[in-house]
Structures are given as structure tokens and as C-alpha cells.
Amino acid sequence: MSVKFVLFDAFGTLVRIPKASHPYRQILKEGIRQGRRPRPEDLHHIMARPLSLSDAAEYFGIKVPAELMDEIHGALETELSRIEAYEDGLRAVERLQAEGVKIAIASNLAAPYAAPVRRLYPTVDAFGFSFAVGALKPQPLLYRATCELLGAEITDNGGEKNVLMIGDSEKCDRDGPMGVGIQGFLLNRNGGKDFTSLDEFADSALDTL
């Protein structure tokens, strides 16, 4: 196997939020205060549609007072400005691309969080964001759409696995990709399988070239 394409998860893998304020959750909490009960599909709607905070409030039928909305918007902007890249993520992407491997980021996230990811990883070849694709990991569509953007061909029954993926979720970044013919790996920064750093992952991927 010769690796030609690598998909990375974003949050917890390539980037981190030092202190999360969960602004969309604050919108839903205001809904609870108004008598709206949270629904299991709320998170899916937030991440599978290009919804701003105001759009989300309108979509869920939650009337957020202007002063509170300004406060939540401020918290979001602060949170976005604090997002930072993992150093091993920057190194891994640079090393892989230097050897001709094409890189994509496949991530479940709400629309405002895309800009910091793009800013921190400007050389990435493709971005498969859930809000743009209309599907969330581990739904097969997210992986397939990202590979299409990247120009990578995959088959559900495997074959030559020249597409890899890594992230910090067993369900979304290891098991889900395997269901569509992508070799998935778990990043466990606290120790354990499959890799404890993206430096280790890059070493392993480059060994196949």
C-alpha cells in the first residue's frame, strides 16, 4: 500500500479550543428557559446546516433577547480567536504534503468554526465540513464527499487502501471510515492505540511511500 491521501479530523486532532464557551448550547439553554425541550437531533441540525447563531435560534423557534444574543455572539468571537493548532498537526501536514500526499480535513462542526480551521491550515487540499456537506460523521456521505473533493477514489469493499484517516473518535474517525474503504486510525493523546501523536502517525504513513 502506498498512501496517497490522508483525512484528518479537526477538533481534538489538528486544532483545540483552550476554553470552550459552547455558544450554540447557550441558545438551546435559552430555549429550555422558554419551555422548549431539547431534542436528540438538535446537534445534527446545528452541524449539518450553515446556521449562524441567529439562524439557529430562528430555526429552533427560540426568541433570544438582543442583549443576550450580543453576549453569546461575543463569546463565540472570543472562542474562535482562541482556537489554536496542535504543533504535531502542523508538522504532520507539512511532512505529508512535502512527500506528495494530499490532505483533507473531515470534521463535524458548526459553520462559524470553519474559518479558524482554514486559517490555521491554509495549505490543506480539501475541506469536508459537515455543515457544507449536509451530513455528519460517521455517516458515509461525509467521508465520500470529502474524498471526492480530494480526488480520492474509495470502494466500500476495501481494495488498495491508499486513503487514511485519523482522529480522536473511534466511532467517527476509525470505525466510520473503514465502512467506506478508508483505513481509519484513533489518535489517543493520553496514551493507547492506535497513535499517541500525529508525529507517530506521519512516521507510519511515510513508511509506506
Side-chain angles (χ1 to χ4, degrees):
M1 178 185 72
S2 179
V3 175
K4 298 178 181 177
F5 309 94
V6 172
L7 279 59
F8 286 93
D9 171 50
F11 288 89
T13 303
L14 290 179
V15 298
R16 64 187 290 268
I17 303 175
K19 186 177 181 180
S21 61
H22 306 291
Y24 284 86
R25 190 179 301 173
Q26 293 182 50
I27 297 288
L28 296 175
K29 284 183 177 179
E30 177 62 16
I32 294 173
R33 194 188 68 79
Q34 296 175 16
R36 180 189 182 274
R37 300 186 65 177
R39 299 164 189 168
E41 64 271 20
D42 285 350
L43 183 61
H44 183 278
H45 290 310
I46 290 171
M47 292 193 174
R49 290 175 167 80
L51 300 176
S52 66
L53 289 172
S54 299
D55 292 337
E58 183 178 356
Y59 183 85
F60 294 122
I62 301 170
K63 297 185 183 300
V64 182
E67 184 175 345
L68 177 58
M69 182 60 83
D70 288 344
E71 180 181 323
I72 298 174
H73 269 294
L76 173 62
E77 291 303 316
T78 297
E79 182 167 292
L80 296 178
S81 70
R82 290 177 176 172
I83 292 173
E84 57 191 31
Y86 282 105
E87 291 298 325
D88 62 345
L90 294 171
R91 288 192 297 269
V93 169
E94 181 179 10
R95 291 175 61 199
L96 290 166
Q97 287 186 315
E99 295 299 326
V101 178
K102 288 192 174 183
I103 304 295
I105 297 177
S107 183
N108 295 344
L109 48 72
Y113 292 84
V117 175
R118 291 179 182 274
R119 172 175 55 80
L120 292 167
Y121 288 89
T123 67
V124 164
D125 300 286
F127 296 91
F129 295 138
S130 59
F131 73 88
V133 174
L136 276 67
K137 299 180 296 184
Q139 293 177 303
L141 176 59
L142 192 285
Y143 310 112
R144 292 194 180 110
T146 303
C147 285
E148 184 175 348
L149 291 169
L150 199 55
E153 294 185 6
I154 54 174
T155 57
D156 290 359
N157 59 1
E160 183 183 3
K161 288 184 167 45
N162 58 15
V163 184
L164 308 182
M165 179 163 187
I166 187 166
D168 63 338
S169 167
E170 290 187 33
K171 181 179 180 181
C172 293
D173 304 316
R174 187 178 68 182
D175 300 342
M178 288 183 177
V180 297
I182 297 170
Q183 182 66 49
F185 297 97
L186 178 66
L187 174 65
N188 189 340
R189 294 185 180 279
N190 295 320
K193 62 179 185 182
D194 298 317
F195 296 98
T196 59
S197 76
L198 293 178
D199 290 316
E200 290 181 5
F201 170 75
D203 288 341
S204 177
L206 291 172
D207 282 344
T208 71
L209 299 179

